[in-house]
Amino acid sequence: MSFNADVSRIFERMSAMLELTGADRFRVNAHAKAARVIKDHPRDLGPIAHDQKSLTALEGIGKATGAKIAEFAETGAIAEHDALAEKVPEGVVRMLDVQGLGPKTVKLLWHEKGVDSIAALKGVIEDGSILDLPRMGAKTVENIKESIAFMESSGSRLPLGIAMPIAEALVDRMSSVPGVVDCAFAGSLRRGRDTIGDIDVLIVTEDPERAREAFCGHQSVVKVLARGETKCSVRLGLDGPGGRFGSQADQAVQADLRIVPAASWGAALMYFTGSKEHNVRLRERALSEGLTLNEYGLFPDDRGAEPPPQQRGVKPEAAKTEASIYQALGMPMIEPTLREDRGEMSIADDPGLITADDIRAELHSHTVASDGEMEIHESAGIAEKRGFHTLAITDHSQSSAVANGLKPDRLRAHIGRIREIDRETPGIRILAGSEVDILVDGSLDYDDDLLAALDVVVASPHAGLKAKPAQATKRLLKAIEHPLVHIIGHPTGRLIERRPGLEPAMDELIAAAVEHDVALEINAHWMRLDLRDTHVRAAVEAGCKIAIDCDVHGPDDYDNLRFGILTGQRGWLTPELCVNTWDRDRLHGWLRSKR
Ligand code: DGT
Ligand code: CA
Ligand code: CA
Ligand code: ZN
């Protein structure tokens, strides 16, 4: 675990414990915000923990927070945290993770019933004494019980690439239910996060009962959690694409359906897309403009008036589309991928984010020569159909024995074969490349003569992924500085929800990549998405070249492009910095400049 992850976790816990001990909202939020900023920061803060000036220069880190970070670096603890932990048992903090249990209820359970752990919570559910609490009914208890069971059976989040097809099928299905006028998914999935907690679907319908029945009664539903007037929650089984997700194949995913009024479609979509942090910012902006924003629309401000404006027939300033609401707030449309409270409130114009249509080349692909499923010409056929002008064949290098990596003589023959097929394939340029292992000491897996014979060199770490951050930094820097390397493939080697991968000083890598004219890859496979969004953001700010590649092994892998694009967008990436968007001459010119 890195310094940032450790400190971030402590701040998260402080925020929760402050909330449970009744501290004011400002302090609770300040700690939560600091936790997020620290977690997202691309650079290990350990080495600058004593430099208060650099720390407090970061947005969301004030004097008090900066001092606590220094304290942690020095002593390995934060006194305020330890004092709070004296007052709030660990198990009480853990109870906050149970869906449907807010801080208010947790506080009541703890103070009124002495419940200080999930086990104790199960106890008061079993003996029924939980029902003594105010506003606690059988239905709520049932939900809490379900959430605990779900937490214990899964706990982890679902990768984007597993959740997306399930959500799309769900939206297709709901769209075809008679009476349904509008249907879309929202939440973290629409924002393109790399993992998903649950799937949020919104509909407008003229026949709500029919929609509820279609949603709750479908064969993929393993359990109906709630079936209310405007909100239904179900648990969906994960067969189909989920079956490929190894150990998680028997998992389920929760899906929420919300039936919303046609007139407030945009406001509802905005609200349920989140993020929660972005929504908070939007409501602040509305208030500062003398307006009130909720999931029904943007209304003239009459805060405190009861019932809320939508129930009094107040006409909203905007509600029907998201764009109209942003416009009424004096903002350009903010794409869902940017809605994370990472500075998007200050965007003045369309930021011109990259889209899948901008991509013209795939520069990381495997064939049957190593561990791919396709022949060179098959892969080239797919790339050409996608409108690409270039495909680089980059099979594995000799050290990747399990992936049938090529020994130097096999690679030489392979280069000849690639050039031959390229001549027979006029519609697309096929380049001879390699995905060369970056060995543990940072050297590359072929000698320079052989590397120089290749059109494209993607250098990637595959083994030794548990190395310490400092060693990882050194190793990757050495590869970036190598004059024959074009792209660093999946730089950290993480596998989502399975393996954390390396934790190098990303800003040092980025600075070196800029200096040596190397592109850092966003590996578009949903199991990797490496670089991740926050790394991409740091790279973009530094003007570092980015490659978005599918790491093609089989024909379907080209479809992962969209996940890489979403990650790029979340890093505020524009086409200009992405080498895969360049026209043929520019791309090939850059590749040749390293030969
Ligand atoms: P997830 O499901 O954990 O991956 O993350 P989200 O962002 O999809 O969160 P979720 O499913 O709990 O709620 C969907 C959106 O609804 C969320 O992004 C913002 C909105 N929302 C939900 N609860 C609240 C809330 O208490 N306050 C505010 N402002 N927004 C909320
Ligand atoms: Ca969600
Ligand atoms: Ca949800
Ligand atoms: Zn690889």
Side-chain angles (χ1 to χ4, degrees), residues 279-583:
N279 289 352
V280 168
R281 290 286 182 195
L282 288 176
R283 284 198 299 271
E284 285 170 4
R285 171 70 61 101
L287 288 177
S288 75
E289 305 275 325
L291 300 164
T292 295
L293 178 64
N294 63 26
E295 66 264 52
Y296 296 96
L298 182 65
F299 297 93
D301 186 19
D302 49 1
R303 253 186 312 161
E306 290 289 342
Q310 68 274 8
Q311 288 175 28
R312 280 179 283 121
V314 176
K315 192 176 159 341
E317 307 264 326
K320 198 120 199 164
T321 66
E322 288 184 325
S324 70
I325 298 170
Y326 280 112
Q327 195 185 11
L329 289 171
M331 298 170 66
M333 168 77 177
I334 303 293
E335 291 302 325
T337 45
L338 299 185
R339 300 181 195 171
E340 297 289 349
D341 187 21
R342 292 179 181 160
E344 71 275 12
M345 296 300 290
S346 315
I347 293 177
D349 295 304
D350 179 352
L353 297 180
I354 191 164
T355 69
D357 291 341
D358 295 320
I359 300 296
R360 291 273 165 276
E362 168 65 40
L363 300 174
H364 184 168
S365 75
H366 302 267
T367 68
V368 290
S370 63
D371 62 348
E373 295 165 25
M374 292 184 286
E375 300 285 350
I376 300 164
H377 72 271
E378 290 175 274
S379 193
I382 297 175
E384 189 178 344
K385 261 210 202 98
R386 292 192 165 241
F388 291 0
H389 56 63
T390 298
L391 169 67
I393 303 295
T394 57
D395 279 299
H396 285 285
S397 62
Q398 50 189 337
S399 288
S400 281
V402 280
N404 191 22
L406 280 66
K407 294 259 184 257
D409 53 340
R410 273 186 70 211
L411 178 56
R412 279 195 197 88
H414 195 43
I415 295 172
R417 183 84 188 116
I418 294 167
R419 303 225 182 283
E420 199 177 298
I421 294 174
D422 180 38
R423 281 191 294 275
E424 295 163 4
T425 317
I428 184 165
R429 267 308 302 281
I430 309 173
L431 300 179
S434 172
E435 184 185 15
V436 188
D437 268 51
I438 304 173
L439 304 177
V440 177
D441 68 356
S443 62
L444 300 183
D445 199 19
Y446 293 124
D447 63 31
D448 288 359
D449 285 351
L450 188 47
L451 292 175
L454 296 163
D455 306 316
V456 186
V457 172
V458 178
S460 312
H462 285 114
L465 297 176
K466 287 183 178 157
K468 292 251 155 50
Q471 200 213 330
T473 305
K474 220 171 119 196
R475 174 182 181 186
L476 291 163
L477 280 177
K478 196 164 164 192
I480 291 170
E481 287 159 6
H482 195 294
L484 294 168
V485 169
H486 296 99
I487 297 170
I488 303 295
H490 48 74
T492 75
R494 72 143 172 184
L495 291 179
I496 287 173
E497 295 288 300
R498 285 208 214 163
R499 172 175 90 194
L502 300 171
E503 292 176 335
M506 204 42 87
D507 62 344
E508 282 183 45
L509 300 194
I510 289 166
V514 171
E515 186 189 339
H516 296 276
D517 200 20
V518 164
L520 301 182
E521 179 185 80
I522 299 173
N523 191 294
H525 197 292
W526 51 263
M527 254 160 50
R528 293 191 181 271
L529 296 176
D530 173 19
L531 303 177
R532 68 186 67 186
D533 54 4
T534 48
H535 295 157
V536 178
R537 179 74 183 279
V540 166
E541 274 173 11
C544 179
K545 292 186 177 64
I546 296 285
I548 302 184
D549 284 312
C550 293
D551 196 351
V552 175
H553 284 78
D556 296 343
D557 290 340
Y558 280 99
D559 295 331
N560 285 325
L561 179 61
R562 58 183 178 150
F563 303 124
I565 294 289
L566 285 168
T567 297
Q569 290 180 345
R570 290 174 60 81
W572 297 37
L573 180 63
T574 56
E576 175 58 24
L577 277 179
C578 177
V579 297
N580 309 70
T581 71
W582 294 353
D583 66 33

Side-chain angles (χ1 to χ4, degrees), residues 71-86:
E71 183 188 349
F72 181 78
E74 194 167 321
T75 66
I78 296 177
E80 184 192 344
H81 170 271
D82 295 352
L84 280 165
E86 293 268 307

Side-chain angles (χ1 to χ4, degrees), residues 115-225:
V115 173
D116 60 0
S117 68
I118 303 237
L121 175 60
K122 278 156 100 178
V124 293
I125 291 173
E126 282 315 306
D127 68 19
S129 64
I130 191 174
L131 290 163
D132 305 343
L133 292 183
R135 288 185 311 278
M136 187 63 73
K139 186 81 210 151
T140 313
V141 173
E142 191 50 40
N143 282 342
I144 295 173
K145 214 168 137 181
E146 282 290 335
S147 300
I148 297 172
F150 186 51
M151 242 173 90
E152 288 178 341
S153 72
S154 62
S156 62
R157 296 169 62 84
L158 211 58
L160 177 64
I162 295 294
M164 185 70 90
I166 296 172
E168 284 172 341
L170 192 55
V171 166
D172 275 355
R173 207 165 78 218
M174 291 309 297
S175 299
S176 67
V177 174
V180 171
V181 181
D182 242 324
C183 181
F185 59 77
S188 51
L189 194 61
R190 183 160 178 250
R191 303 198 309 279
R193 269 194 68 175
D194 52 16
T195 62
I196 277 6
D198 70 358
I199 297 172
D200 303 284
V201 176
L202 303 189
I203 61 165
V204 172
T205 179
E206 286 158 0
D207 190 347
E209 186 44 35
R210 199 154 179 176
R212 285 189 284 264
E213 184 49 37
F215 187 77
C216 298
H218 192 265
Q219 57 176 23
S220 63
V221 171
V222 293
K223 171 110 192 151
V224 177
L225 304 170

